[in-house]
Amino acid sequence: MFDFDSILLSSLRYLYSDEIDLEADTVLATLYAAKKYIVPALAKACVNFLETSLEAKNACVLLSQSRLFEEPDLTLRCWEVIDAQAELALKSEGFCEIDLPTLEIIVTRETLNTKEDVVFEAVLNWAEAECKRQGLPVTPANKRNVLGKALYLVRIPTMTLEEFANGAAQSDILTLEETRSIFLWYTAANKPQLEFPLVKRKGLAPQRCHRFQSSAYRSNQWRYRGRCDSIQFAVDKRIFIAGLGLYGSSCGKAEYSVKIELKRQGVVLAQNLTKFVSDGSSNTFSVWFEHPVQVEQDTFYTVSAILDGNELSYFGQEGMTEVQCGKVTFQFQCSSDSTNGTGVQGGQIPELIFYA
């Protein structure tokens, strides 16, 4: 429970001294008090605090609160996080704490960047939590009741047949007639009418920051023997790094194993060990992190790639220290982690793939 007396006292202290100590546990109650007693500067301080603490695990709860408090700037920031990191946001405990109208508006969202079976599973988890809040037994019938029309906002027919068969079809929340109709919709020539939306979400289109003006290959380079290609970058706006574009083989089709990594001040924020196949062209080949990673403005981050495969590869030339990509400006500088020759002027890691 909030200590509203102490919150009121701290709000009054702000009125008289312009001093306020905001904490995660009390900032929403302080925002409520600022709104109630019409203290716009205090409300702004609360919103700024919430924006700096915003991440995937609390974005849905803060979206609900921003709508309640009518704070459009905070609402917009919440949507940026929820769209780009949809899977993390929907699987968070905070998603299960939101109210039904916020659930409906999230599930309706066209730009959620995740698969539909993840949305369906999140809706089921919310329904279970809502049954417990209302003191109801957690049964399929009660979960349907607490969801109401929200169940029919999930775009079940846009799942693959395998995703539907292994998930929603076995959830017991759909009626037998609904399950049968959806199976027929997948397989029959005469498709039945369904109450669920049929059009796949658009998601987010990834953007690419290309830092070289040309590429080349020579018979004696570029080579890989477990060495690290690395570069540092900073941006002037908050973005979400989703992956890297890499060069591949300069002598025909080849498969690479690659470890990619994103760090800030030496701390690993994300990494992935995967494979990609290059076709022997100078094209870049996309390698993705498991989840997009939030990157703050005016701070240098380090991205790295360690490749194992065909030694001879294309490499970038005429690198740029600054690149304008849409509304985002990237700055690049060399990284001390780079042991294979990659730097600002040339080398590997030609592209950063991001959402903004």
Side-chain angles (χ1 to χ4, degrees), residues 207 236-237 239 323-330 354 356:
Q207 300 182 51
D236 64 343
K237 292 181 176 61
I239 63 170
V323 179
Q324 186 72 32
C325 191
K327 296 181 178 179
V328 183
T329 301
F330 287 78
F354 68 101

Side-chain angles (χ1 to χ4, degrees), residues 241 260-263 267-272 289-293:
I241 291 291
I260 59 171
E261 191 171 73
L262 175 67
K263 295 193 297 187
V267 177
V268 176
L269 303 180
Q271 59 181 211
N272 194 19
F289 292 112
E290 184 179 1
H291 302 288
V293 183

Side-chain angles (χ1 to χ4, degrees), residues 9-38:
L9 284 173
S10 65
S11 301
L12 289 171
R13 183 167 62 250
Y14 177 83
L15 286 173
Y16 288 102
S17 65
D18 285 341
E19 294 179 2
I20 185 70
D21 289 325
L22 294 172
E23 298 178 359
D25 292 341
T26 59
V27 64
L28 287 172
T30 304
L31 178 57
Y32 170 80
K35 291 280 189 177
K36 182 176 181 179
Y37 297 109
I38 316 176

Side-chain angles (χ1 to χ4, degrees), residues 165-292:
N166 291 331
Q170 299 183 47
S171 66
D172 294 329
I173 199 171
L174 302 176
T175 66
L176 287 175
E177 181 59 31
E178 287 169 340
T179 303
R180 174 182 175 276
S181 294
I182 294 170
F183 269 121
L184 288 174
W185 190 87
Y186 281 113
T187 57
N190 279 330
K191 299 186 183 299
Q193 288 190 334
L194 301 177
E195 295 186 66
F196 300 93
L198 306 179
V199 179
K200 189 178 179 69
R201 299 177 198 275
K202 292 180 180 177
L204 292 176
Q207 300 182 51
R208 294 172 182 267
C209 174
H210 200 96
R211 67 186 191 91
F212 297 127
Q213 298 180 72
S214 66
S215 62
Y217 70 92
R218 300 190 189 99
S219 60
N220 62 342
Q221 62 179 32
W222 199 264
R223 293 178 177 271
Y224 303 108
R225 292 194 181 96
R227 292 189 291 259
C228 180
D229 289 291
S230 184
I231 195 73
Q232 288 191 311
F233 73 95
V235 289
D236 64 343
K237 292 181 176 61
R238 183 185 290 113
I239 63 170
F240 299 85
I241 291 291
L244 307 178
L246 300 176
Y247 288 124
S249 168
S250 60
C251 51
K253 184 176 179 179
E255 182 180 77
Y256 288 90
S257 296
V258 58
K259 178 183 178 181
I260 59 171
E261 191 171 73
L262 175 67
K263 295 193 297 187
R264 177 181 179 178
Q265 296 177 345
V267 177
V268 176
L269 303 180
Q271 59 181 211
N272 194 19
L273 182 62
T274 185
K275 297 178 184 292
F276 74 92
V277 176
S278 74
D279 58 11
S281 73
S282 60
N283 294 333
T284 58
F285 302 91
S286 301
V287 182
W288 305 87
F289 292 112
E290 184 179 1
H291 302 288

Side-chain angles (χ1 to χ4, degrees), residues 28-73:
L28 287 172
T30 304
L31 178 57
Y32 170 80
K35 291 280 189 177
K36 182 176 181 179
Y37 297 109
I38 316 176
V39 190
L42 177 57
K44 182 175 176 58
C46 292
V47 170
N48 290 341
F49 180 91
L50 291 170
E51 286 188 358
T52 59
S53 61
L54 179 60
E55 51 188 331
K57 67 181 180 181
N58 63 11
C60 294
V61 171
L62 292 182
L63 175 68
S64 178
Q65 296 298 325
S66 69
R67 294 176 65 243
L68 175 66
F69 292 128
E70 298 181 337
E71 288 291 343
D73 290 343

